[in-house]
Amino acid sequence: MTIPTILTIMLLGHILGDFYVQSKTMADNKDVMKKWLLIHSGVYSLCMATILFVGVGFSRYWVFIVVGASIAHLVIDWLKKYIPCKKFIIDQLLHLAVIIALWCIWGRCLSLRAPITTALEYSLPAELMIIALGLLILLKPVGLLIEKGDIWDFNKGNSAALPTSSQKGAGKMIGYLERIIIFFLLVNRQFGAIAFVLAAKSVMRFPEINDSDKPTSLAEFYIIGTLLSMTSVFIVAFALGLI
């Protein structure tokens, strides 16, 4: 199953607007200050409008989608502070439902710009935009999902096992690179190479994990983090129809 190109463009607009264009100040303050919530919603709207305009051009359906996505995003982010737990997962599921609904109502009435259609037919791989979407999802959204502890709380248990701030920064970069490498290997059906990457990572981390002076829970954190990272790659690739 391949995701329709218009829906892919809408999802790209959402991911860029909600994660890559949003600053840390917006993310930290939008739940407590209306000013930053409105600023974030405005930036999100501009990003969604720009991506859609580049892909499909101006039309009344473009206006309907941009306005609908912007208002829904503002309302969902405002209601998010009343969600008692797992805010990130519920928040993103609601955003995804809105985007799919907007695509079903108006998105299927849109058509790609002629240059993009020509490029996709004759110059660029048909899956290029979907691969780009997958990479963007695997970096910030998946990274934040793991960091926020909605799936597994890495801050619980023995505090002596918790990494320092510098170690967390290094671990975040390792997670980014790990997901990117496994994603490209998975898309190209290089399953044996995926096993090699995981084995190599385990060998490099073995002395640290096997250190008798360190808490045994460090090994558990490593295994859980690696499996979460790997599982996320498989889920995203499958959901996007790449495997």
Side-chain angles (χ1 to χ4, degrees), residues 91-197:
D91 169 61
Q92 292 305 313
L93 286 176
L94 290 174
H95 288 315
L96 178 61
V98 168
I99 290 173
I100 292 176
L102 291 173
W103 173 76
C104 290
I105 298 171
W106 294 303
R108 289 184 291 183
C109 302
L110 296 172
S111 57
L112 293 173
R113 284 179 179 268
I116 294 181
T117 302
T118 302
L120 290 175
E121 288 180 356
Y122 300 104
S123 304
L124 302 175
E127 297 177 340
L128 183 63
M129 278 195 290
I130 298 179
I131 291 174
L133 175 62
L135 285 174
L136 291 175
I137 293 173
L138 288 172
L139 292 177
K140 277 201 172 181
V142 169
L144 286 172
L145 178 62
I146 295 174
E147 290 171 27
K148 287 180 179 294
D150 279 5
I151 299 178
W152 177 267
D153 187 3
F154 288 93
N155 293 318
K156 69 180 180 180
N158 192 338
S159 59
L162 298 178
T164 63
S165 57
S166 61
Q167 289 173 326
K168 285 182 179 179
K172 183 186 295 186
M173 181 56 63
I174 291 172
Y176 286 166
L177 295 174
E178 178 183 63
R179 289 192 291 272
I180 290 173
I181 292 171
I182 294 177
F183 179 73
F184 276 113
L185 292 175
L186 187 61
V187 169
N188 288 283
R189 312 294 194 271
Q190 300 298 319
F191 304 113
I194 294 176
F196 175 79
V197 169

Side-chain angles (χ1 to χ4, degrees), residues 12-241:
L12 280 171
H14 167 71
I15 294 296
L16 290 172
D18 205 21
F19 293 98
Y20 290 89
V21 179
Q22 179 179 202
S23 66
K24 188 177 185 302
T25 303
M26 294 180 196
D28 292 341
N29 296 301
K30 67 180 183 179
D31 288 345
V32 293
M33 297 178 65
K34 292 181 180 179
K35 179 184 76 172
W36 288 108
L37 176 60
L38 292 173
I39 291 174
H40 167 61
S41 299
V43 172
Y44 176 88
S45 303
L46 182 61
C47 185
M48 178 68 79
T50 302
I51 296 297
L52 274 173
F53 182 76
V54 171
V56 302
F58 182 82
S59 70
R60 60 175 179 171
Y61 301 115
W62 173 87
V63 174
F64 296 155
I65 290 175
V66 171
V67 172
S70 302
I71 294 175
H73 193 88
L74 174 63
V75 172
I76 292 171
D77 277 6
W78 177 71
L79 291 174
K80 184 171 64 174
K81 61 183 177 181
Y82 300 107
I83 300 175
C85 62
K86 300 189 183 303
K87 294 183 179 181
F88 185 86
I89 295 176
I90 297 175
D91 169 61
Q92 292 305 313
L93 286 176
L94 290 174
H95 288 315
L96 178 61
V98 168
I99 290 173
I100 292 176
L102 291 173
W103 173 76
C104 290
I105 298 171
W106 294 303
R108 289 184 291 183
C109 302
L110 296 172
S111 57
L112 293 173
R113 284 179 179 268
I116 294 181
T117 302
T118 302
L120 290 175
E121 288 180 356
Y122 300 104
S123 304
L124 302 175
E127 297 177 340
L128 183 63
M129 278 195 290
I130 298 179
I131 291 174
L133 175 62
L135 285 174
L136 291 175
I137 293 173
L138 288 172
L139 292 177
K140 277 201 172 181
V142 169
L144 286 172
L145 178 62
I146 295 174
E147 290 171 27
K148 287 180 179 294
D150 279 5
I151 299 178
W152 177 267
D153 187 3
F154 288 93
N155 293 318
K156 69 180 180 180
N158 192 338
S159 59
L162 298 178
T164 63
S165 57
S166 61
Q167 289 173 326
K168 285 182 179 179
K172 183 186 295 186
M173 181 56 63
I174 291 172
Y176 286 166
L177 295 174
E178 178 183 63
R179 289 192 291 272
I180 290 173
I181 292 171
I182 294 177
F183 179 73
F184 276 113
L185 292 175
L186 187 61
V187 169
N188 288 283
R189 312 294 194 271
Q190 300 298 319
F191 304 113
I194 294 176
F196 175 79
V197 169
L198 295 175
K201 180 184 175 184
S202 300
V203 169
M204 288 187 290
R205 296 293 294 270
F206 181 77
E208 181 182 358
I209 296 172
N210 200 45
D211 191 346
S212 59
D213 295 331
K214 294 186 177 181
T216 56
S217 56
L218 183 63
E220 297 174 358
F221 291 159
Y222 164 75
I223 293 171
I224 293 170
T226 299
L227 291 178
L228 281 177
S229 191
M230 257 198 71
T231 303
S232 67
V233 176
F234 278 86
I235 291 175
V236 169
F238 180 78
L240 296 178

